[in-house]
Each structure stands twice: as structure tokens, then as C-alpha cells.
Amino acid sequence: MKYRHANGAKNILSIIMLVLVFILIVTMVFLVRIKILQNTQEFGTMLAKSYAFEEQTQLDFFKERVYLMSAYIDEMVANKADSRQIQNGLTNYYHHLEDAVGENTFFAYAIINGEAFTSEPWDGKDTYDYSGAKWYSDAIEAGGAVVVGDAYFDVITGDPVYTISKELSNKGDVFALDVYIENDNLHNASQSIPENASVFLCDSNGGLLYKNTKLSDTESASYVSYLMQGISNGEYASYDDSITDLQGVKRGVYYDSLDNGWTVVITIPMNDILIGDSNAFIYIIACIGLGSFAAVLIIVIRDILQSREMRKAVNTMYALGNSYFAIFRINFVTGTYELFKLADNVSTPLPKTGKYDLLAAKIKSSIKESSEQEFDYNFSIENIKKRVQDGVRDFGGDYRYTLPDGEKWVNIRTLFDSSFSSDEVIMCFKEIDSEKRINLQNRIALENAIAESQKSIKAKSEFFSNMSHDMRTPLNAIINFSNLAQINGENPEKVKDYLQKINISGKQLLNLINDILEISKIEAGHNFLNCKEFCVTTLIDEVAGIFRDQAEAEGKVFTTAFDIHDSQVVGDSFKIGQILNNLLSNSLKYSNRGDRISLSVKQFAFEKHSKYQFIVSDTGLGMSKEFTQKVFEPFLRETNYTDRQIVGVGLGMTIVKSLVQQMDGEVSVESELGKGSTFTVTIPLEIVQSADAEPHKENPEESSFDLDGKTILLAEDNELNMEIATEILSMCGCEIMQAKNGKEAVALFRDSEPFSIDAILMDMQMPVMDGCTAAREIRATDRADAASVPIIAVTANAFAEDIDKTTKAGMNSHISKPIAIDQLCATLSALIKNDPGESPADADRSMPNNGI
């Protein structure tokens, strides 16, 4: 009876175990399914990224070809090549590029001096209105940059194309390249996608550019539209998201984007993901689960399943053995080996059994020489025996190993299991070359990324620390002296003193902002030279004039000297002024009362160009020898040898060096603590060969101009800025018409009498209508003074691209905020005096802005 109860309990326990194992198997299959879907999402996304990378690489390749051919055409035009030579050059370029990328891939053409040139004959080129083409207008607007246009249908072939274009050196000349999107030569990556998968390439608007699918064109268009809408809504972000295609098949969706907004979409049938050959792992898991189920079932029917389990064990052993190209059994007691497995492509003269020393010598002969000693130590019989005694079951290392197909990374291991044999280990060899190289590359990339990240973090930390401190210092003075001025409003002397200090602190803050903006332009590559004729002596006088009053107020001696015989030169006077401004500012900053500061210029003649040497010297605080080696590095200041509070983020000398190098010049420094510093800047400048090229200055009486009674239309949305500008202009005797936005300014101009408005001051960023749009509408107005009324841009963004926008909008000049009274009056005077339509050089190109 007890036996029967025990047997019944055992059967119940066995059933319970079988149920638990079944539940475990179902759970494992479910989890494996999830993992497969997650891995497939990663694989699909990687596939999409790979395809997108190839498309981006192809696009970058064509952009580079456009850039190179544009330079070649510019060179031919500069060398006065005739139409035949230009046509031959274009045709040769087309055939060379065709050899590289395949036939019927692209079509090249150029517009030069209004004449059209094509890489292949086209009857319609003489009547084609290129001026209205988007590729042409895009290139002109880009101003010399390479532009990639949206897809459209070619007027010649009717095929979908996109155009890459670039404006040439001569205004209005453009070189362009049509790329035929549907050419399979451009989409090699689509050949490597999984079977039954589909690939779609869409433009930035979701339009279909290229497809590799069994769907027709009509079906593909509607299907892709639905796909792109789902991607936009985030419907395929999860690993188990899918779409049902037009045949009712569920598909996983994977995508990635190119730099220009194009999107690569890959869809794979869900059945291929879950039951395809590539996902055999789910079957392995299921088999293992069934094996476990069978193992529990053996408790009840052990004898029936015993032979089946033995077969599984043998198969598993062989499956594991296939991972290694060579396996040996090593007896560390007798010092012998037995060859268990050796791949067919690895030949060896070793017998099946023999002494371990012979095997070790053979292995060592295939290992890189630098690792032989390491192998001798790690895999000697003594060390194998010691590891077994210490309980080390698995030990190995990676070595450079010579195989029949070359030197590869190989992992050599010894495995020990006492249940298998107490005096033997298994020595196995596995090729891991691909994995090892990837790991090494990843480690190097990680180390480089960490180093760059640490360097970037340190630089940013230093920058923000300096910037925060040095901006808060003048801000503190501005805020607190403003409060003191309000408190002491009845004391005019104190209020005047406070206002002077507020003005000084404001200029310090402006200089800090100018330095930060200047270095950002340099780092972004937007700081271009603007070379034109100027007078060296006049420039030096203007620069010196900025600092003479400051030097006198601080009790310092400031002198200038000239040793030149050619004053009229061609160069970027504004950037030279920036350089001298920074150097003189530093000399005043790092000197004491009674010190001497000098600015001298020397000329060293050499053929057409001369080298002009600008020397700024002072007898001030000086620098340590160590600091002179890094004075041009950003964010650094010499503060170890002075207790004076120095204002600035440490960018001035970095800007100086960058500007000097941009003009092919040199800068050096000599300094000694307590004895001062000397900065020498040498810049090559082209001499203007003219009989009357003598230094000259405008007669102040001739250049003076009275603004009294002039009517100025002022467009400004900020109330405080409106009040400031109105006050400045009113002080000059002007009548003011105020507009709060560009739309009001246009309306006031249209409603006024012709020629009643003498000039327009136009803020750039305003609500309702911005300044550039307003300027264009005023110029387009149908009245006599629309084209000639001076329009001056007032902008806080003084970058070259911002100034270029104002010029294209039809404005005559620009001034930057904060507004300088003398600069505003000089610009207005120059423009109002000029004949209608005449535009003087921008007034703020002469000196840095020290406005109020």
C-alpha cells in the first residue's frame, strides 16, 4: 500500500515536472521569438544604414566630381579657353567619369558666359531657358557651394534625376551634373539584401526615387506613401511592429536617412524572420527544450529513450568540435599527445600520436616570433599540470598564427574536466581573426573617442569657466552702477561717474562677445578675406586714434612710427585692423602708468609684393618664457605674475594668429617678465602701382555733412532699441518716422511723397515681416525714388553670410548693434550725399564696433 502511494506520488510528481518543463519550453520559445525579432530589427536597421551609407558615399562622390570639374572649368576660363576647348574638356571629363561609374549614369553640362555646353550632343540646348531652372537658381543662391537638388523628371529622357550644381568663379556661370536615379550601377547595395526583401529609396518629400521590389510602379508609389506616413508617425519603432503589404504579407520595416533628407526603407517578410534558415537558433532552443522534456520523461520511460539521448550527446560533441580547426588530447603525466581532429586545409607532418615536445615545437614554428616565449611559458607541460592542480578548467590566449591562407589570429586553449580524464587536457585551436580585428579596432576607436571626449570636455569647461567669470565682471558693474545711479539721482557728479563706468563695462562686454563670435567664425570656416585697395598710413592712424585717448587717460606714453615708401596696397584692411586692435588692447591691458607703448610699420620690398612688418611693443608686465610658448592657444592668460583683474576669455591672441595665417603672414612674440612684450606681425601685401599712390586723407571740411532736417524712416520692433535710435537721430537734427515691423515700414514708404524720405534704417529680425523682405518690397515699389533711397541694415548678426543677405535684398550698407553714434552718422552722411543708386563701402568695415 505504501509502495502504491509512493508510486502514485512519484507519477504525480513526474506529471508536474513534465507540465513545468512544457511551460518552460513555451516560455523559452516565446522569449527566443522576441529576441529574434529584436536581433532582426538590429540587422535590418544596420542593413538600412549600410545601404544609406553607400547612397551617401555615391552622392558625396558625385559632389566631389562636380567640385573638381568646376575648378577645372574655372581654370580654363581664366586661361581664356575658347568654346571648343571648353566643350572638349567637358566631353573628356564625361567619358572619364563614365568609365568610373558606368554608362547612362549621368549627364554633365555647363552655362558659361550665357552659352550652354553639354557632355553629349543635345539639340535643345540653344533654346533651353536655364535661367528659370531650379538647379541654376539654387547654384547661384549657394554662392559657390555645391548644391544637391530634389528629384525631378529630365527634360531630355523623361527619367527621374537629381541635379548637383555649383556656381563657377564668374558670376552667372554654373556647372551641373544630372544623376539618373534608376541606374542600377548606383545601387549595388540592393543586390545584397535578403531574399523576398524590398528596398525603397525616397526623397525628402517622401517621393519614390528607386526601388528593388516585385511590386509594379503604381503599386510601389501607393505602398511607399503609406510606408513613409507610418515612419513619420513612429509606427515602426518597436521590434514587433509590421506592415501588411498589398499581397497581405506581414513585413518588418527598417529605415535610415541620408544627410540630404532622403530615406532608405527595407521591408522583410515576418515569416522569413521567424522560420527562415537564418533563424535556426529558435529550432535549436526548441530541440534543447524538447531534450529537457525528454530527460524528465526518462524518469518514467528511461529505458526507451536511453539510446536516443546517447545519440544527441554524440551529435552535440561533434557540433562543438566544428568550432575548432584542430583538437588534441594532451596527457600531462606521460608528456604525450593524441591528434583528435585536424581540418583538411591545415596540413601537418605530425603523426597521430607522439611526444608533446614535438607538437609544441610544431605549433611554435607557426606562431609569430615575438610570442614564442609567451607560448613556451603558458603551454609547457609543467604549467598545464600546475593549472590542473589549481583547479583552472579553461585557459587560453590569442596568437598571430601562420595558416595556409596567411597569418591570422588564432585562439589556443586547454580545457580540463576531471570527469572526462584526470590526467589529460583538451588543446584546441580556433581561428578568430575577424573577431579579433574588430575588437582591436573597437578598442582603438574607444580609446580615441575617450581621449577626444576628455579633451573636448576640458576645453569646454575652461571656456565656459572663463566666459562666465569675464562676462559676469562687466555685467556686475553695469547692473550695480545702474542701481547706484538711480539711488544717487540728485548727485550729477556721481551719476556722471557711474555712467562712464557703465559705458566702459559695456564696451568690455562687447569686446568679449566680439572675440567669441570671431573665433566661432574662424572655427566654422566662415571668415573670408575681403581684399581691396587701402592706405597703410591711414589705417594705422585710425587704429592708433582708438587707443590714444585711453593711453593718455591711463598715464601711458603711446607713439607710432613709419618706415615705408609705398602706402597704397591691396589687402584686407579690416582684418589687419582687428590684429592691431587686439595687440594694442593687450599692451594697454598688461601695462602700468608711466609705461611706453609703440606701434611701428616697416616695409621690405620684394617684386610685386612687399612684406609689411607691424610691431607692437610695450614696457609693461611682460610674460614668462614658458607662457610665450603657448600665448596663441585659446582660453589662456598670463595671470601668475600679477594681482590685477584681467578681463577677457583668452581668445585675442588665437584670433590674431588665425587671421595672420589666413593672410599668409607670420606672427612672433618676444617677452620678459617685468620688461614688457614685443609682437611682430609680417604680412605680404600687393603694392598699388600708381603715380599718385601717396598717403592721403579726406579733408574734414569736405567730408562733413549736416543731417539737420533729414527725414529718416526707422523700422525697429524692440521698444528700447527704437528709443535709443530715435534719440541718436534726434540729436543729429533728424525727423523720425517710426515703424514697428517691416510691413509698417513698407506702408509708410508707399504712403509718403516721393523723395520725402532721405534714408531708411531697417532692423533685420522683426515680426510680421523681416527687414530683407521689407527692403525687397520697397525696391519693387512703382515710384521714382524706390531704387535710389538709401536703405541701411541694422543687425546684431555681423557675420559675412548675414551681410550678404542684406546686399542681395537691395540694401546699400549695414551697421551692427550696439549702434555707434559716429558710425551711424558717417554712414547716413555718405549715403545721403551720394548720387541715386551709388553705394559707398560699408562704414563698419574700417574699425571694430565700439558702440553704445
Side-chain angles (χ1 to χ4, degrees):
M1 196 69 171
K2 289 182 180 179
Y3 172 77
R4 189 175 292 175
H5 284 304
N7 192 48
K10 184 177 181 181
N11 289 337
I12 291 173
L13 180 61
S14 298
I15 292 172
I16 291 173
M17 291 180 65
L18 285 171
V19 171
L20 290 175
V21 169
F22 178 79
I23 293 173
L24 178 63
I25 292 171
V26 173
T27 303
M28 288 176 63
V29 171
F30 178 75
L31 292 176
V32 168
R33 180 183 181 276
I34 291 176
K35 186 63 179 175
I36 288 174
L37 288 173
Q38 290 174 337
N39 289 344
T40 303
Q41 185 188 39
E42 294 179 4
F43 168 75
T45 302
M46 287 177 58
L47 202 61
K49 286 181 179 295
S50 174
Y51 192 99
F53 175 79
E54 179 170 337
E55 292 292 335
Q56 185 66 53
T57 301
Q58 191 74 262
L59 184 62
D60 290 344
F61 169 82
F62 282 118
K63 288 171 66 179
E64 181 66 17
R65 302 285 81 75
V66 169
Y67 182 86
L68 293 175
M69 187 56 188
S70 296
Y72 177 59
I73 294 175
D74 279 338
E75 183 179 358
M76 286 196 295
V77 173
N79 291 330
K80 309 298 183 182
D82 56 26
S83 298
R84 181 184 58 80
Q85 291 172 323
I86 293 175
Q87 179 62 59
N88 289 341
L90 185 61
T91 302
N92 292 336
Y93 163 80
Y94 171 80
H95 291 306
H96 284 306
L97 188 56
E98 187 181 56
D99 291 341
V101 299
E103 295 181 354
N104 302 320
T105 306
F106 64 94
F107 181 77
Y109 47 98
I111 305 299
I112 300 173
N113 294 326
E115 183 179 357
F117 298 85
T118 59
S119 57
E120 290 186 312
W122 178 41
D123 294 335
K125 71 175 183 177
D126 294 330
T127 59
Y128 176 59
D129 182 16
Y130 61 85
S131 63
K134 194 171 187 306
W135 58 266
Y136 182 85
S137 60
D138 285 349
I140 298 300
E141 289 181 7
V146 177
V147 180
V148 180
D150 293 327
Y152 63 95
F153 291 96
D154 183 49
V155 298
I156 302 176
T157 65
D159 296 328
V161 300
Y162 65 89
T163 299
I164 305 174
S165 58
K166 180 184 182 300
E167 184 180 24
L168 303 177
S169 294
N170 288 344
K171 190 69 177 178
D173 290 356
V174 173
F175 172 71
L177 195 71
D178 286 348
V179 182
Y180 295 103
I181 302 171
E182 292 185 343
N183 193 307
D184 288 336
N185 292 331
L186 303 179
H187 310 282
N188 293 327
S190 63
Q191 308 303 320
S192 60
I193 64 171
E195 187 178 2
N196 298 325
S198 296
V199 176
F200 305 96
L201 177 62
C202 305
D203 64 21
S204 56
N205 296 319
L208 181 62
L209 300 175
Y210 175 80
K211 61 182 176 65
N212 186 348
T213 180
K214 296 178 181 178
L215 298 175
S216 66
D217 291 346
T218 304
E219 291 173 333
S220 296
S222 60
Y223 182 60
V224 166
S225 176
Y226 187 74
L227 266 177
M228 293 303 293
Q229 183 180 356
I231 291 173
S232 175
N233 296 334
E235 295 177 4
Y236 313 118
S238 179
Y239 66 90
D240 57 351
D241 288 338
S242 63
I243 184 175
T244 302
D245 66 14
L246 301 178
Q247 283 74 39
V249 177
K250 279 192 172 185
R251 289 175 170 267
V253 181
Y254 315 102
Y255 52 90
D256 193 39
S257 297
L258 278 69
D259 293 345
N260 63 343
W262 292 2
T263 303
V264 171
V265 184
I266 297 177
T267 66
I268 304 176
M270 297 295 287
N271 285 343
D272 289 3
I273 295 172
L274 295 174
I275 64 175
D277 294 338
S278 61
N279 296 309
F281 182 69
I282 191 171
Y283 298 113
I284 296 175
I285 294 297
C287 290
I288 293 175
L290 290 173
S292 301
F293 186 85
V296 177
L297 192 61
I298 287 176
I299 298 174
V300 182
I301 50 175
R302 181 177 305 172
D303 293 339
I304 299 175
L305 298 178
Q306 186 174 11
S307 60
R308 180 181 176 184
E309 292 302 317
M310 287 296 294
R311 287 196 300 273
K312 286 185 180 180
V314 172
N315 291 337
T316 301
M317 179 186 68
Y318 276 106
L320 292 173
N322 287 335
S323 299
Y324 303 93
F325 67 80
I327 302 175
F328 297 88
R329 297 172 58 148
I330 310 299
N331 190 309
F332 52 81
V333 175
T334 61
T336 58
Y337 75 88
E338 179 183 354
L339 175 61
F340 182 76
K341 174 191 175 182
L342 190 65
D344 295 337
N345 62 340
V346 181
S347 58
T348 176
L350 286 171
K352 188 172 179 62
T353 60
K355 288 292 183 180
Y356 177 74
D357 291 345
L358 179 62
L359 173 63
K362 177 61 180 176
I363 295 171
K364 192 165 65 174
S365 67
S366 298
I367 290 177
K368 196 171 183 178
E369 185 177 351
S370 59
S371 301
E372 289 181 359
Q373 188 174 356
E374 178 187 345
F375 176 82
D376 277 338
Y377 177 79
N378 288 333
F379 292 96
S380 65
I381 285 293
E382 293 75 15
N383 276 328
I384 292 176
K385 187 183 298 183
K386 184 176 184 304
R387 285 197 295 270
V388 170
Q389 294 171 351
D390 293 341
V392 178
R393 294 175 173 271
D394 187 345
F395 177 84
D398 301 336
Y399 298 88
R400 296 291 293 169
Y401 198 93
T402 302
L403 292 171
D405 56 346
E407 191 177 74
K408 300 289 183 66
W409 280 102
V410 170
N411 179 261
I412 304 176
R413 312 195 70 77
T414 57
L415 308 173
F416 173 73
D417 189 340
S418 58
S419 62
F420 169 73
S421 176
S422 60
D423 56 1
E424 286 186 341
V425 296
I426 301 296
M427 176 178 279
C428 46
F429 297 73
K430 182 179 181 180
E431 188 208 314
I432 58 166
D433 196 68
S434 297
E435 298 91 332
K436 187 71 174 181
R437 292 182 185 276
I438 292 173
N439 289 338
L440 289 174
Q441 291 172 357
N442 290 341
R443 190 176 78 178
I444 293 172
L446 180 61
E447 290 174 351
N448 291 339
I450 291 173
E452 287 298 319
S453 176
Q454 290 173 342
K455 182 179 178 181
S456 176
I457 290 171
K458 181 180 178 182
K460 288 181 179 178
S461 176
E462 291 175 353
F463 169 73
F464 284 115
S465 176
N466 287 330
M467 183 178 69
S468 175
H469 174 271
D470 291 331
M471 283 190 168
R472 287 176 184 271
T473 298
L475 277 174
N476 177 65
I478 293 169
I479 293 170
N480 286 291
F481 280 126
S482 298
N483 292 333
L484 289 173
Q486 290 177 337
I487 295 170
N488 296 278
E490 296 179 356
N491 190 333
E493 290 300 322
K494 282 190 175 182
V495 171
K496 181 178 180 181
D497 179 57
Y498 296 152
L499 291 176
Q500 287 177 341
K501 291 173 179 176
I502 290 171
N503 185 265
I504 292 170
S505 299
K507 289 180 178 178
Q508 289 176 347
L509 185 60
L510 177 61
N511 288 334
L512 292 173
I513 294 171
N514 284 340
D515 278 352
I516 294 168
L517 291 176
E518 186 67 32
I519 203 69
S520 70
K521 287 195 293 183
I522 291 171
E523 290 179 349
H526 295 158
N527 200 7
F528 305 108
L529 291 177
N530 183 19
C531 294
K532 57 185 180 182
E533 183 179 341
F534 71 96
C535 177
V536 175
T537 55
T538 301
L539 174 64
I540 298 303
D541 287 341
E542 290 174 348
V543 173
I546 297 174
F547 296 97
R548 279 201 175 92
D549 291 341
Q550 180 182 348
E552 183 178 351
E554 295 176 1
K556 302 169 185 176
V557 179
F558 179 42
T559 60
T560 59
F562 297 90
D563 183 11
I564 63 176
H565 48 82
D566 294 301
S567 295
Q568 293 297 119
V569 295
V570 174
D572 193 325
S573 60
F574 176 68
K575 287 187 169 55
I576 295 173
Q578 278 185 292
I579 293 167
L580 299 179
N581 182 72
N582 279 331
L583 293 177
L584 287 171
S585 176
N586 262 20
S587 288
L588 286 165
K589 187 186 300 182
Y590 289 97
S591 58
N592 296 315
R593 181 173 291 273
D595 283 334
R596 296 185 305 277
I597 300 163
S598 66
L599 168 59
S600 60
V601 187
K602 296 181 179 179
Q603 179 183 358
F604 301 95
F606 179 74
E607 297 181 355
K608 183 179 179 182
H609 287 74
S610 280
K611 287 190 175 182
Y612 286 78
Q613 199 171 75
F614 303 88
I615 304 169
V616 176
S617 182
D618 65 73
T619 60
L621 302 177
M623 293 176 281
S624 61
K625 184 178 180 180
E626 294 77 12
F627 189 78
T628 58
Q629 304 300 317
K630 52 185 179 181
V631 67
F632 296 108
E633 295 179 17
F635 315 123
L636 297 180
R637 295 175 298 187
E638 178 67 288
T639 58
N640 294 331
Y641 302 97
T642 176
D643 57 0
R644 184 186 304 177
Q645 179 66 38
I646 302 299
V647 178
V649 290
L651 294 174
M653 292 302 100
T654 305
I655 293 171
V656 166
K657 185 173 183 180
S658 297
L659 294 177
V660 170
Q661 289 178 338
Q662 190 179 10
M663 291 184 282
D664 297 324
E666 299 173 353
V667 59
S668 62
V669 59
E670 295 180 2
S671 185
E672 186 176 347
L673 279 174
K675 295 186 178 181
S677 304
T678 297
F679 285 85
T680 303
V681 175
T682 305
I683 300 174
L685 297 172
E686 181 182 348
I687 299 170
V688 177
Q689 301 295 341
S690 175
D692 57 349
E694 294 294 333
H696 63 279
K697 294 184 180 179
E698 254 186 71
N699 187 330
E701 295 181 0
E702 293 177 356
S703 62
S704 63
F705 185 75
D706 188 5
L707 294 174
D708 189 40
K710 300 300 180 183
T711 300
I712 308 297
L713 172 56
L714 174 60
E716 171 62 67
D717 64 305
N718 184 279
E719 291 184 5
L720 291 178
N721 288 341
M722 174 71 82
E723 182 178 350
I724 291 170
T726 300
E727 187 68 24
I728 292 172
L729 293 169
S730 296
M731 289 168 56
C732 297
C734 297
E735 298 291 333
I736 313 300
M737 298 173 64
Q738 294 185 343
K740 295 180 179 180
N741 55 61
K743 187 175 182 180
E744 286 189 15
V746 174
L748 285 173
F749 179 78
R750 286 174 175 168
D751 295 340
S752 66
E753 291 295 325
F755 298 102
S756 63
I757 296 176
D758 295 290
I760 300 173
L761 288 179
M762 186 76 72
D763 185 35
M764 288 297 92
Q765 296 182 354
M766 295 183 291
V768 184
M769 182 183 289
D770 62 79
C772 285
T773 303
R776 282 192 290 268
E777 291 207 10
I778 288 173
R779 292 297 187 214
T781 303
D782 185 18
R783 51 187 277 174
D785 60 341
S788 61
V789 61
I791 304 178
I792 304 168
V794 182
T795 175
N797 300 328
F799 290 114
E801 56 268 29
D802 300 303
I803 297 170
D804 184 58
K805 289 179 182 176
T806 66
T807 303
K808 290 180 178 178
M811 301 194 192
N812 301 82
S813 185
H814 80 281
I815 58 174
S816 56
K817 296 179 182 178
I819 299 173
I821 296 177
D822 55 349
Q823 177 191 332
L824 175 60
C825 292
T827 304
L828 284 171
S829 299
L831 287 169
I832 293 174
K833 280 200 309 180
N834 284 337
D835 294 332
E838 186 179 353
S839 298
D842 289 349
D844 59 340
R845 285 287 296 166
S846 57
M847 281 293 106
N849 183 7
N850 295 307
I852 61 172

